[in-house]
């Protein structure tokens, strides 16, 4: 493990026992202590680069105070433009930010855009109540506009400050106001989330030692036979998954120990977004609670869901919620595949400026189009047994597609990514294009594809996840 990874591990490990202590603090003390701890972690790991995140917070606060009506669009522009400056600071003679500063900046960008949308919703609903004398129809919303101290506290809350998960300001406010946090579930769900972390960690270390990423960049690698080169991407993606499974499960445990994102099951919470229906916040009532709001990874479904489009929903789930609510609906395109492409482009930009991100993320729409074409032309014509076989083949290809795209994500450079894809003859791109061509030939028109696309648009709107 690298020194940076050890620091991340230390922060994650320390946040779990500390979280249980926060359950005994009053709301004002909890808010101040979480801010102080989060700011201390940020300063200790980011040093002078803490100023980047502070400027982002101040800029967002000014936008919200100046024009809440246009705050969502302005905050998105402000934070994303600052991300560009943040990644190009060396062009201005400034020192390059640390990896920790990058992690803080990424999560802060999500928070600030979400906050601007929440504030706008608060003012819109408030005006509706005044004009119609009717209670707001919003399930759960802000009760007042956050102060600068509130925004600062939310921005630098120690929970998930470098590792996620993303959570809205409303989730943070509910956490501060929990009536009896000591009575909420803690130890059992925390241990449940941590039980496989040692397994993920051990597999990460073991497989990474046998299949190091650096070997892909060597001349010796290109001398290996085709099947070895093809298999290598499967090993690399396995290492990639184990690393993030361990990190995100640990990060979720840190949220669980503090009680962040704990809501009654009947609230039907969604990762990132929180409750979707009205619920009783009374902890003395006979309620079952869950931590769906801060769930960032569904390891089983990531591995075993059938489709590429569904695989995205179970990976980095809180960020996927953010993309679905703030980017996907505002896409300049109507077709599902093109809207997905737009969303993936924004996601790639959020991750960084490395060409590998764009090569990987922008391959996803091609794979989705291939899936849609084959489902509309082949799967719909099969019986139950045939569809079952089709689904297994689709699952296998889905995993190979993610193996393939992961290489761009980890190699980063365009040259390294293209060199690797060339060594396996761009196999996934070719398979995807062949599926699209075959699908269009077999269905003899575009109606079937439009039906599949229409269904996917409905699912995206409703949040349906059925495979």
């Amino acid at each position: 493990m690298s020194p940076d990874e050890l620091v991340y591990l230390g922060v994650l490990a320390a946040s779990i026992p500390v979280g249980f202590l926060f359950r005994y603090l009053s709301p004002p003390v909890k808010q101040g202590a979480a801010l102080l701890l989060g700011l201390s972690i940020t300063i200790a790991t980011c040093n002078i680069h803490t100023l980047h995140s502070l400027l982002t917070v101040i800029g967002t606060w000014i936008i919200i105070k100046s024009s809440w009506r246009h705050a969502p669009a302005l905050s998105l522009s402000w934070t994303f433009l600052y991300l560009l400056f943040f990644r190009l600071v060396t062009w201005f003679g400034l020192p390059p930010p640390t990896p920790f500063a990058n992690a803080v900046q990424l999560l802060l960008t999500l928070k600030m855009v979400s906050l601007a949308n929440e504030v706008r919703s608060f003012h819109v609903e408030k005006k509706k109540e005044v004009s119609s004398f009717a209670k707001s129809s919003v399930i759960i919303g802000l009760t007042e506009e956050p102060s600068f101290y509130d925004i600062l506290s939310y921005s630098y809350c120690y929970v998930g400050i470098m590792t996620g998960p993303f959570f809205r300001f409303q989730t943070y406010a509910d956490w501060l106001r929990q009536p009896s946090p000591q009575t909420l579930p803690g130890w059992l769900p925390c241990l449940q989330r941590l039980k496989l972390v040692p397994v993920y960690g051990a597999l990460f270390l073991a497989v990474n030692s046998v299949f190091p990423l650096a070997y892909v960049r060597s001349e010796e690698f290109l001398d290996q036979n085709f099947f070895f080169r093809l298999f290598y991407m499967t090993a690399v993606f396995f290492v990639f998954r184990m690393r993030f499974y361990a990190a995100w499960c640990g990060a979720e445990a840190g949220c669980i120990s503090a009680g962040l994102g704990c809501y009654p099951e009947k609230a039907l919470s969604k990762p990132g977004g929180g409750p979707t229906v009205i619920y009783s916040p009374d902890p003395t009532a006979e309620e079952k609670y869950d931590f769906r709001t801060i769930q960032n990874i569904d390891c089983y479904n990531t591995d075993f869901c059938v489709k590429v489009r569904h695989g995205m929903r179970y990976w980095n789930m809180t960020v996927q919620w953010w993309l679905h609510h703030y980017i996907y609906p505002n896409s300049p395109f109507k077709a599902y595949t093109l809207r997905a492409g737009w969303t993936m482009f924004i996601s790639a930009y959020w991750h960084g400026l490395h060409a590998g991100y764009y090569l990987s993320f922008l391959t996803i729409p091609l794979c989705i189009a291939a899936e849609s074409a084959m489902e509309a032309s082949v799967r719909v014509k099969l019986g139950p047994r045939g569809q079952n076989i089709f689904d297994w083949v689709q699952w296998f290809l889905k995993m190979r597609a993610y193996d393939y795209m992961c290489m761009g994500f980890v190699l980063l450079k365009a040259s390294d990514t293209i060199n690797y894809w060339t060594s396996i003859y761009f196999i996934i791109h070719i398979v995807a294009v062949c599926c699209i061509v075959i699908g269009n030939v077999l269905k003899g028109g575009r109606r079937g594809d439009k039906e599949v696309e229409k269904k996917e648009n409905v699912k995206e709107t409703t949040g349906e996840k059925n495979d």
Side-chain angles (χ1 to χ4, degrees), residues 106-175:
L106 287 178
L107 288 162
L108 189 65
T109 298
L110 303 182
K111 285 183 174 181
M112 295 298 96
V113 174
S114 177
L115 175 65
N117 280 272
E118 289 182 82
V119 171
R120 184 183 184 279
S121 295
F122 161 72
H123 283 289
V124 169
E125 294 303 320
K126 187 177 179 181
K127 290 188 72 175
K128 286 182 181 178
E129 288 182 11
V130 172
S131 60
S132 64
F133 300 99
K135 191 175 181 180
S136 171
S137 59
V138 173
I139 301 299
I140 296 176
L142 302 182
T143 56
E144 60 182 1
E145 184 177 311
S147 66
F148 178 72
Y149 176 67
D150 292 331
I151 295 174
L152 195 67
S153 302
Y154 167 59
S155 303
Y156 289 106
C157 176
Y158 84 95
V159 184
I161 191 165
M162 292 193 301
T163 57
F166 157 75
F167 51 89
R168 299 192 308 144
F169 182 85
Q170 183 63 58
T171 303
Y172 169 75
D174 291 342
W175 176 60

Side-chain angles (χ1 to χ4, degrees), residues 211-238 356 359-360 363 399-430:
F211 298 97
L213 179 64
Y215 184 57
V216 178
R217 299 187 178 97
S218 68
E219 291 295 330
E220 183 184 348
F221 177 80
L222 298 177
D223 295 332
Q224 299 288 347
N225 66 70
F226 169 77
F227 293 102
F228 178 83
R229 298 196 302 268
L230 185 64
F231 172 76
Y232 213 92
M233 70 180 188
T234 299
V236 168
F237 185 45
F238 181 83
L359 291 170
S360 295
T363 302
M399 292 303 294
R400 302 296 72 79
Y402 276 118
D403 295 342
Y404 185 82
M405 291 182 284
C406 176
M407 296 305 291
F409 200 91
V410 296
L411 289 171
L412 298 178
K413 290 184 179 179
S415 58
D416 291 338
T417 304
I418 297 300
N419 285 342
Y420 176 76
W421 283 354
T422 301
S423 76
I424 57 172
Y425 308 110
F426 292 90
I427 188 169
I428 295 300
H429 282 99
I430 291 173

Side-chain angles (χ1 to χ4, degrees), residues 145-383:
E145 184 177 311
S147 66
F148 178 72
Y149 176 67
D150 292 331
I151 295 174
L152 195 67
S153 302
Y154 167 59
S155 303
Y156 289 106
C157 176
Y158 84 95
V159 184
I161 191 165
M162 292 193 301
T163 57
F166 157 75
F167 51 89
R168 299 192 308 144
F169 182 85
Q170 183 63 58
T171 303
Y172 169 75
D174 291 342
W175 176 60
L176 294 179
R177 294 195 298 259
Q178 286 172 339
S180 301
Q182 304 94 325
T183 65
L184 297 174
W187 284 107
L188 287 179
C190 189
L191 292 174
Q192 182 71 17
R193 206 59 181 139
L194 288 172
K195 67 180 182 180
L196 290 177
V197 168
V199 177
Y200 297 143
L203 288 172
F204 161 70
L205 293 172
V207 180
N208 188 50
S209 65
V210 179
F211 298 97
L213 179 64
Y215 184 57
V216 178
R217 299 187 178 97
S218 68
E219 291 295 330
E220 183 184 348
F221 177 80
L222 298 177
D223 295 332
Q224 299 288 347
N225 66 70
F226 169 77
F227 293 102
F228 178 83
R229 298 196 302 268
L230 185 64
F231 172 76
Y232 213 92
M233 70 180 188
T234 299
V236 168
F237 185 45
F238 181 83
V239 169
F240 184 79
R241 296 202 311 279
M242 293 305 106
R243 179 172 180 256
F244 279 96
Y245 286 177
W248 283 337
C249 286
E252 288 179 33
C255 294
I256 293 170
S257 68
L260 178 69
C262 185
Y263 293 101
E265 287 183 355
K266 65 183 182 182
L268 302 179
S269 300
K270 289 189 175 182
T276 59
V277 298
I278 297 174
Y279 70 97
S280 170
D282 184 6
T284 62
E286 291 295 329
E287 296 282 4
K288 289 185 178 181
Y289 293 87
D290 64 35
F291 288 88
R292 283 279 295 163
T293 299
I294 51 84
Q295 184 181 3
N296 207 35
I297 186 68
D298 184 332
C299 303
Y300 177 83
N301 280 309
T302 295
D303 283 352
F304 294 105
C305 69
V306 173
K307 304 177 183 182
V308 169
R309 64 171 64 92
H310 291 166
M312 293 186 295
R313 298 175 185 172
Y314 300 115
W315 177 271
N316 209 358
M317 297 165 75
T318 58
V319 175
Q320 296 302 330
W321 181 92
W322 186 92
L323 289 168
H324 177 67
H325 282 77
Y326 302 132
I327 303 300
Y328 182 84
N330 299 315
S331 167
F333 309 104
K334 292 184 178 180
Y336 171 75
T337 302
L338 293 177
R339 295 178 82 180
W342 170 258
T343 305
M344 290 302 98
F345 175 78
I346 297 299
S347 180
Y349 175 82
W350 177 75
H351 279 88
L353 299 179
H354 295 290
Y357 292 142
Y358 299 86
L359 291 170
S360 295
F361 278 112
L362 294 179
T363 302
I364 291 177
L366 179 67
C367 295
I368 291 175
E371 283 184 337
S372 299
M374 294 304 289
E375 288 167 5
S377 62
V378 178
R379 192 180 188 278
V380 294
K381 300 175 183 177
L382 300 175

